[in-house]
Amino acid sequence: MNFNDFPAEPFRIKCVEPVKMISRKEREEVIRKAGFNTFLIDSEDVYIDLLTDSGTNAMSDKQWGGMMQGDEAYAGSKNFHHLDATVKELFGFKHMVPTHQGRGAENLLSQIAIKPGQYVPGNMYFTTTRYHQERNGGIFVDIIRDEAHDASLNMLFKGNIDLAKLQKLIDEKGADAIAYVCLAVTVNLAGGQPVSMKNMREVRELTSKHGIKVFFDATRCVENAYFIKEQEPGYENKTIQEIVHEMFSYADGCTMSGKKDCLVNIGGFLCMNDDELFQDAKELVVVYEGMPSYGGMAGRDMEAMAIGLKESMQYEYIEHRIKQVRYLGERLLEAGVPIIEPIGGHAVFLDARRFCPHLSQEEFPAQSLAANIYVETGVRSMERGIVSAGRDKVTHENHKPKLETVRLTIPRRVYTYKHMDVVADGIINLFKHKEDIKGLRFVYEPKQLRFFTARFEQI
Ligand SMILES: *Cc1c(COP(=O)(O)O)cnc(C)c1O
């Protein structure tokens, strides 16, 4: 590992939030009280918070300036027009509907675009995305390439759709039985793995032949664009903005969680080209979110999001972002800690199957590993494995994903390389006595999206 490969922070800090580490004894008490679920730990008890990169972004001075320019009119806020114009310019879609966050957009899209019994193929599931699809009668079908389910395979564009799987679904069920293809860029649960431009183009060609729509989960589209620039021939001299624009030219619309690549703390939107769908979305947004000119956001939030979306496309920003994540991953790899390869865009995923080979999947190895990391280091991470995958709607059996992981998610523009060293050193230390990590069992299992509030005890 060569330290020169990693650029210094392309910003300087003008506002700080002190953090402190509580003692190991206190952390043991905290995790027990939290039912061994890192979602139930108070922020104040966390030293370095890698639970999620969702809404944990640091905003720029320009964004904070924008916050003071909120036009809080109930209808027709000028910040809405700024956001609307920015999204249309950068993404190239015809229509935009604001929502309070990503799942607000997923709710609207699932309601207007899925008929009960229709299939919704996608490149691996995302928790809230699949939930809304299923709630509206959709049947999720995983059409990501097989390699994405193998944590140890290091290859480019591991998030690609397997076109043969999509073709097979069309042949077997017919194009009318498919609501739309949901294409995520990058694929969160596969480890933040990107999709190539070639794959997006091919998905577009295949679906066009059959009149099937394609909606992107655009949540991490800027991170995906960086990987295309870095790794796909023909794109090395294109700007991030040009790449993002081309990506969306292969879609009929997208859902977006602004809490990720828009560099804000709250917000989201839904885009589409179809006029009728837009009409439907506008009728529904008033039921769930608010007027079509604010969709659950304050004027100031829309302003910050418009500015943040532009900032996220600056090369220096996104290069540092991706490489800081890579730095943490490479430090762990160097010490033999098993992680998903290649290192993705927003997080390093520990492979809990290889980290805790002494635990079966039903003993929730990733859930327990996340709890143990907290006790060992004061660092908060999250389970992405059998607990997050939930149960089958029909059989009520646990979904048993091949990937049993702990996600160390890096907030944007928040931590330094030294913080990454503290995380790496702590986890490398835990790896040396990994046999001490015990299995868990449920003491409380919520019916929906159980990982958020479930409680466990040690076996
Ligand atoms: C976060 C996320 C969502 C949901 O967005 P929220 O803003 O949390 O509602 C959807 N898809 C992906 C890939 C995400 O990472």
Side-chain angles (χ1 to χ4, degrees):
M1 193 171 108
N2 182 355
F3 204 77
N4 291 329
D5 293 342
F6 302 97
E9 285 74 14
F11 50 79
R12 53 186 181 187
I13 298 164
K14 67 168 110 184
C15 178
V16 296
E17 179 187 358
V19 290
K20 71 169 180 18
M21 173 106 106
I22 59 173
S23 71
R24 185 183 181 108
K25 206 159 177 292
E26 287 169 307
R27 296 197 298 274
E28 282 169 358
E29 183 61 16
V30 165
I31 197 69
R32 207 182 43 74
K33 277 200 182 136
F36 296 90
N37 185 348
T38 52
F39 277 97
L40 302 179
I41 301 174
D42 282 337
S43 165
E44 270 195 322
D45 295 330
V46 173
Y47 177 45
I48 298 175
D49 203 344
L50 306 186
L51 182 71
T52 173
D53 62 343
S54 179
T56 52
N57 304 308
M59 295 206 293
S60 68
D61 51 355
K62 287 208 179 63
Q63 285 176 291
W64 280 108
M67 293 288 278
M68 290 304 289
Q69 293 168 34
D71 170 359
E72 307 303 345
Y74 191 81
S77 158
K78 70 173 187 236
N79 311 118
F80 167 73
H81 292 299
H82 184 197
L83 177 63
D84 190 51
T86 305
V87 170
K88 286 173 181 169
E89 177 201 335
L90 298 177
F91 285 18
F93 292 116
K94 205 168 153 197
H95 304 295
M96 189 278 284
V97 180
T99 60
H100 76 286
Q101 60 184 88
R103 70 199 68 181
E106 292 167 353
N107 174 32
L108 299 181
L109 179 67
S110 301
Q111 289 203 38
I112 60 185
I114 300 173
K115 292 194 206 91
Q118 277 188 320
Y119 295 89
V120 191
N123 48 345
M124 208 173 269
Y125 82 101
F126 184 74
T127 51
T128 57
T129 318
R130 187 177 70 188
Y131 181 79
H132 282 293
Q133 291 164 356
E134 290 179 345
R135 205 180 136 85
N136 287 284
I139 302 161
F140 168 79
V141 185
D142 189 8
I143 55 166
I144 201 167
R145 64 194 306 177
D146 287 335
E147 295 92 332
H149 292 281
D150 186 337
S152 61
L153 270 181
N154 189 344
M155 61 190 306
L156 298 182
F157 300 112
K158 213 172 162 183
N160 280 359
I161 279 184
D162 182 336
L163 291 154
K165 288 186 190 172
L166 178 54
Q167 183 68 60
K168 184 161 170 275
L169 185 72
I170 298 170
D171 292 344
E172 280 177 15
K173 310 289 180 187
D176 289 343
I178 297 173
Y180 56 87
V181 174
C182 177
L183 203 169
V185 288
T186 61
V187 187
N188 191 341
L189 294 198
Q193 303 298 336
V195 177
S196 71
M197 193 72 90
K198 180 166 177 280
N199 191 245
M200 294 180 218
R201 203 178 298 125
E202 288 170 346
V203 169
R204 174 75 289 174
E205 282 164 11
L206 177 56
T207 51
S208 289
K209 265 196 279 176
H210 298 274
I212 299 169
K213 286 199 161 61
V214 180
F215 282 90
F216 282 16
D217 181 340
T219 299
R220 299 163 193 287
C221 61
V222 182
E223 291 163 5
N224 200 102
Y226 179 83
F227 285 110
I228 289 176
K229 184 173 170 71
E230 185 183 56
Q231 297 170 1
E232 190 163 348
Y235 289 92
E236 45 290 79
N237 297 320
K238 296 231 190 270
T239 64
I240 297 294
Q241 200 164 312
E242 285 167 338
I243 294 171
V244 166
H245 209 272
E246 183 180 340
M247 283 164 58
F248 290 125
S249 73
Y250 305 125
D252 296 288
C254 72
T255 54
M256 180 77 182
S257 169
K259 303 176 71 168
K260 324 294 172 45
D261 273 358
C262 293
L263 293 172
V264 287
N265 306 119
I266 194 73
F269 52 83
L270 170 65
C271 290
M272 70 278 284
N273 290 326
D274 189 283
D275 297 333
E276 256 175 63
L277 265 187
F278 178 52
Q279 208 54 45
D280 292 345
K282 274 203 298 189
E283 284 175 20
L284 214 52
V285 75
V286 294
V287 179
Y288 292 97
E289 310 279 326
M291 285 283 287
S293 61
Y294 73 87
M297 281 180 284
R300 54 180 174 267
D301 296 332
M302 292 190 280
E303 189 61 26
M305 193 152 84
I307 298 168
L309 193 51
K310 268 249 157 101
E311 284 180 0
S312 75
M313 309 236 174
Q314 288 164 3
Y315 181 75
E316 294 70 24
Y317 153 72
I318 190 64
E319 183 199 23
H320 169 265
R321 156 83 177 147
I322 301 286
K323 291 197 173 164
Q324 190 184 43
V325 173
R326 197 171 288 168
Y327 175 80
L328 173 60
E330 293 206 351
R331 281 234 35 217
L332 292 169
L333 273 178
E334 235 177 27
V337 176
I339 64 169
I340 299 191
E341 290 185 79
I343 298 157
H346 65 299
V348 174
F349 288 70
L350 301 174
D351 182 354
R353 288 179 187 275
R354 283 184 287 155
F355 203 112
C356 308
H358 57 290
L359 297 179
S360 74
Q361 197 172 20
E362 270 89 1
E363 293 171 309
F364 309 130
Q367 186 75 31
S368 187
L369 178 54
N372 277 272
I373 288 171
Y374 171 72
V375 172
E376 180 86 18
T377 66
V379 173
R380 171 153 68 173
S381 58
M382 129 175 6
E383 190 261 14
R384 277 300 185 223
I386 185 169
V387 177
S388 295
R391 290 182 186 273
D392 187 278
K393 276 244 158 200
V394 181
T395 66
H396 299 289
E397 292 292 318
N398 281 316
H399 287 298
K400 286 192 192 147
K402 284 209 186 100
L403 293 180
E404 179 71 22
T405 64
V406 167
R407 193 178 79 180
L408 302 157
T409 335
I410 318 300
R412 296 169 185 78
R413 305 194 289 204
V414 171
Y415 293 115
T416 64
Y417 286 99
K418 185 67 195 171
H419 287 115
M420 298 303 113
D421 281 332
V422 170
V423 175
D425 291 342
I427 291 174
I428 291 165
N429 208 39
L430 177 62
F431 189 59
K432 290 185 189 141
H433 62 96
K434 55 184 190 293
E435 301 75 21
D436 298 341
I437 298 173
K438 298 193 179 80
L440 298 174
R441 61 176 157 246
F442 275 114
V443 288
Y444 163 60
E445 182 184 352
K447 284 187 208 61
Q448 280 133 29
L449 297 175
R450 63 184 183 183
F451 57 95
F452 281 126
T453 54
R455 301 184 69 85
F456 303 83
E457 63 183 11
Q458 280 185 328
I459 297 173

